[in-house]
Amino acid sequence: MHDFSTPMFLGHRGLPSKYRENTLASFKAAIDSKADGIELDIHLTKDNKLAVIHDHSTKRTTGIDKVVEELTMDELRAIDKEIPTLEEVFELFKDKIIYDIELKEKPFVFSKLPNIALEVIKRYKLEDNVMISSFNPFPLRAFKKVCKNIPTAIIYDAVPSVPRIMQHGEGKIICSPNFLKPGINVAKQQLKANKKPISVWCVDTKKEAEEFIALGAKVIISNKVDEIRL
């Protein structure tokens, strides 16, 4: 794992400012732009595959409204052939980069996602290259029960999509994460108030990156990593 003696820069879903988010082309572009690694999202499909896609529905990215978890990987790819599996991302980069893997689970849904994610990580021997994160503290807690040596991070921000009671990292009480992962709306306050290492998203200007690094941020996650890499 990165030693954090210098800040780490990750491409948020790759390089979505110039490529389709969460695609192999987007991830490769981020790494070609000198990112230390990538942030990506995984869902568990109906046939227990790990699909790399952000939303629970395919509607925003394809115009077809289907629930990711209710489809097999083949059915997903029939809708969008560019959706990769986590294995395909690992095959592309192996242990050359850092991966921030966001577990996507709906509130109060308890699936095999944490266990299957760990199995794939172990199969590729990438325990030292991975961080696991989520807005949902329950899959993080489940992951920590089966693996204690891979760092975890709770994600949050003061935005309407995040429940008000979770907008300032309150989920850490449930899952005891190694890192905090605030959005830029609350990151400055969090950097001043917390002792845990902090990963900030989405930082899309060089000025913001410099400010957060000066405040002690250990990880900078950006949609424009090619423009802000210091």
Side-chain angles (χ1 to χ4, degrees):
M1 192 70 178
H2 190 86
D3 64 7
F4 300 107
S5 56
T6 57
M8 182 164 65
F9 287 78
L10 302 181
H12 183 242
R13 308 178 202 171
L15 190 63
S17 59
K18 294 182 179 172
Y19 294 83
R20 278 195 64 198
E21 65 178 50
N22 276 327
T23 61
L24 296 181
S26 186
F27 296 141
K28 187 175 185 302
I31 299 307
D32 287 346
S33 299
K34 305 284 193 270
D36 298 294
I38 53 176
E39 184 270 355
L40 56 90
D41 312 275
I42 60 170
H43 292 255
L44 190 64
T45 64
K46 186 178 179 180
D47 55 344
N48 291 326
K49 304 295 184 185
L50 298 176
V52 179
I53 179 173
H54 180 269
D55 298 359
H56 288 279
S57 167
T58 58
K59 185 174 183 179
R60 178 176 63 88
T61 52
T62 69
I64 300 169
D65 192 3
K66 294 289 185 180
V67 177
V68 172
E69 290 85 356
E70 295 176 358
L71 302 175
T72 66
M73 194 66 211
D74 286 343
E75 289 170 337
L76 260 181
R77 280 199 165 134
I79 297 170
D80 184 351
K81 64 182 181 181
E82 289 193 84
I83 298 175
T85 64
L86 183 61
E87 289 95 330
E88 287 168 337
V89 178
F90 284 169
E91 287 286 351
L92 185 61
F93 300 110
K94 298 195 166 56
D95 64 352
K96 306 301 182 194
I97 69 168
I98 299 296
Y99 305 86
D100 178 350
I101 301 172
E102 182 178 339
L103 305 181
K104 295 300 239 182
E105 275 194 332
K106 295 178 180 178
F108 307 110
V109 170
F110 301 92
S111 77
K112 296 178 283 186
L113 177 59
N115 298 72
I116 293 175
L118 179 60
E119 185 276 321
V120 173
I121 292 164
K122 284 186 171 181
R123 192 186 337 139
Y124 282 86
K125 298 180 172 57
L126 291 174
E127 294 96 319
D128 292 336
N129 295 72
V130 166
M131 175 188 293
I132 297 293
S133 60
S134 186
F135 281 95
N136 186 341
F138 294 103
L140 285 184
R141 186 169 71 177
F143 187 88
K144 286 179 72 74
K145 284 183 178 178
V146 294
C147 180
K148 303 203 182 295
N149 64 321
I150 292 177
T152 57
I154 186 74
I155 315 172
Y156 52 97
D157 200 3
V159 292
S161 58
V162 178
R164 187 176 293 274
I165 61 169
M166 305 286 275
Q167 289 183 355
H168 294 85
E170 292 83 354
K172 66 186 178 184
I173 298 167
I174 296 170
C175 61
S176 300
N178 304 94
F179 274 73
L180 302 179
K181 189 176 169 184
I184 59 171
N185 295 307
V186 296
K188 287 182 182 177
Q189 170 197 345
Q190 296 288 295
L191 279 159
K192 293 173 183 176
N194 287 280
K195 293 181 180 178
K196 285 183 183 289
I198 285 184
S199 171
V200 185
W201 62 279
C202 286
V203 181
D204 290 340
T205 69
K206 234 176 205 185
K207 181 180 178 183
E208 287 175 331
E210 289 168 350
E211 286 178 5
F212 287 123
I213 289 168
L215 287 169
K218 299 299 183 183
V219 183
I220 300 292
I221 301 174
S222 178
N223 293 306
K224 300 178 179 181
V225 72
D226 59 327
E227 297 179 16
I228 70 156
R229 187 70 169 93
L230 303 178

